[in-house]
Amino acid sequence: MPPPTQPCGGRVAGGYNILSGNQNFNDDNGHGTHVSGIIAATGRSGGLYGVSPGVHLYGIKALDRDGNGRVSDIIKGMEWAIDNNIQVLNMSFGDSKHNAALEHATRKAHQKGIILVGSAGNDGERGGTIDYPARFPWVLSVGAVDHDMKRASFSSKGGRIDIMAPGVDIRSTWKGGAYKVESGTSMSAAHVSGGAALVLARNPGMNSVRAQRYLVQLNQPLGPRREYGHGLLDLSPLSK
């Protein structure tokens, strides 16, 4: 998961700072805290609830305070996730350029049983512009819909989209104990990561491949595959 801070209200169980080589993974940017709140905020002190408030969050800090970083550090973060038996890896970041080392790292994580969730990107109407790592076949690629369940104008689209989820004007936690409204496929990916955690919680014996397929099968169709993938994330069957 991206680097959360304690105010996000989720159960922060640990993490690692790749940049400094220590366990000080506090979020100095805010993006990671926002994503983490969508995934797992617990409603503490009258706050909001995330998709999966019972999940244990692990912060892997591989980007600097401006949200920039090196692919090599991201790969090190994935290796940390593998070594520490992380079940769901939210990747709310992306790049338009293919990187062979990143492809190898994500494939390895997938083969080790981690569910990988990636933001499709915010490239709008330019079709076929899904970012990496979301573009890799073994990563769940997530696009964004607005409050009317229409594809967000900024959301990337294309045949590799797997799932759509809310990504417009999403209110969530922010660094320093604050709340903030943000938009982007990063927010959409966070909803799907929380959904993946719920699937595993309800089906503890399910492996990652089956869990990913099940998550996609829950989707409600919205429109053409190139615009909406397999449809809208629907977790209502998990509440029965």
Side-chain angles (χ1 to χ4, degrees), residues 51-203:
V51 176
S52 185
V55 72
H56 288 163
L57 288 171
Y58 291 83
I60 305 173
K61 183 170 177 57
L63 304 178
D64 64 22
R65 65 186 306 159
D66 297 318
N68 299 318
R70 299 179 298 183
V71 173
S72 59
D73 288 329
I74 291 173
I75 291 173
K76 289 177 183 177
M78 292 182 183
E79 292 171 346
W80 188 93
I82 293 171
D83 293 341
N84 287 272
N85 300 312
I86 300 301
Q87 293 178 289
V88 181
L89 186 59
N90 183 83
M91 299 184 293
S92 287
F93 57 83
D95 195 322
S96 61
K97 297 178 181 179
H98 175 268
N99 183 285
L102 182 63
E103 178 177 359
H104 176 76
T106 55
R107 187 193 294 270
K108 179 180 178 182
H110 172 70
Q111 291 173 341
K112 292 293 185 179
I114 299 177
I115 297 177
L116 304 172
V117 182
S119 51
N122 303 321
D123 293 317
E125 292 299 327
R126 293 183 296 163
T129 57
I130 297 172
D131 285 345
Y132 295 101
R135 201 187 300 190
F136 296 132
W138 43 88
V139 178
L140 285 172
S141 174
V142 187
V145 293
D146 60 21
H147 296 285
D148 295 320
M149 299 300 109
K150 302 295 185 182
R151 184 179 64 83
S153 60
F154 58 77
S155 178
S156 293
K157 63 179 182 178
R160 261 295 301 135
I161 293 287
D162 290 309
I163 304 177
M164 304 296 284
V168 177
D169 295 336
I170 306 299
R171 184 174 183 266
S172 186
T173 48
W174 197 253
K175 63 179 182 178
Y179 292 90
K180 189 175 181 180
V181 174
E182 291 276 276
S183 298
T185 56
S186 285
M187 288 69 243
S188 308
H191 281 91
V192 174
S193 292
L198 284 179
V199 168
L200 292 177
R202 299 294 191 276
N203 304 276

